[in-house]
Amino acid sequence: MKWKSSYAIGVEAIDKQHERLFDISERIEELFLLPGHMDKFDEIVEIIEELKAYVIYHFNEEQQLMEKIQYPKYFSHLVEHQDFIEKINDFDLHELDHAQQQQLRELVDFIMTWLVEHVLEKDKAFATYCREKNM
Ligand SMILES: [Fe+2]
């Protein structure tokens, strides 16, 4: 879950935020890789809160930029952001207590897949539009 330079979209502020998101996700993966018999409940709750808070901040920053330049795909992009937040909110902490490793694995897979696809496709498309508009 390491950040790679190929993930850069060329908008500096956003790239920095994406890097931070990858950092948080990497820490979730590290938590998963710790021995399975450990009780990770508190750490998982804590890191999910951190992820949620940061992702809300980051999505807002992106959306403000999009509004500013009147990005034509603003609403479909917004829906993707909302879906992500919803999915993280739906993460069941009661379920977690019974199957921590399995839940963590699913969470890591979801975040990794979503983040890479979203950044490479949707955020890059936005960055291309910014460049076309000379922003
Ligand atoms: Fe985005």
Side-chain angles (χ1 to χ4, degrees):
M1 197 65 216
K2 286 250 187 281
W3 164 263
K4 295 179 203 156
S5 56
S6 61
Y7 296 152
I9 66 170
V11 179
E12 210 190 327
I14 300 296
D15 282 332
K16 284 225 166 72
Q17 292 166 19
H18 283 158
E19 217 173 319
R20 170 91 190 265
L21 272 181
F22 275 80
D23 274 354
I24 299 173
S25 310
E26 203 183 336
R27 279 163 41 218
I28 301 178
E29 194 180 20
E30 280 165 6
L31 203 53
F32 167 74
L33 293 171
L34 289 174
H37 57 80
M38 287 173 63
D39 184 5
K40 306 174 183 179
F41 188 82
D42 292 347
E43 285 88 348
I44 297 171
V45 173
E46 203 177 301
I47 206 159
I48 288 175
E49 285 310 313
E50 185 183 340
L51 174 71
K52 249 191 246 178
Y54 195 74
V55 105
I56 288 169
Y57 160 77
H58 163 65
F59 287 167
N60 277 330
E61 291 286 302
E62 259 188 30
Q63 286 155 208
Q64 271 175 24
L65 261 178
M66 287 176 190
E67 279 179 66
K68 207 170 113 194
I69 67 165
Q70 295 179 308
Y71 184 50
K73 289 178 179 164
Y74 174 79
F75 284 106
S76 60
H77 204 114
L78 186 78
V79 167
E80 282 216 9
H81 287 172
Q82 286 169 340
D83 284 349
F84 182 85
I85 293 172
E86 215 170 283
K87 180 89 182 187
I88 300 297
N89 277 336
D90 283 349
F91 190 70
D92 191 345
L93 292 175
H94 298 287
E95 187 76 14
L96 179 64
D97 223 7
H98 304 294
Q100 291 188 359
Q101 281 303 87
Q102 191 198 328
Q103 289 284 97
L104 260 181
R105 176 79 270 171
E106 280 170 25
L107 184 66
V108 169
D109 284 347
F110 167 71
I111 296 171
M112 276 174 155
T113 309
W114 192 92
L115 209 53
V116 172
E117 279 179 11
H118 182 83
V119 168
L120 289 181
E121 228 184 277
K122 303 292 163 30
D123 291 340
K124 272 200 174 168
F126 167 60
T128 303
Y129 184 81
C130 287
R131 274 191 293 279
E132 282 165 2
K133 292 269 162 186
N134 286 319
M135 306 276 299

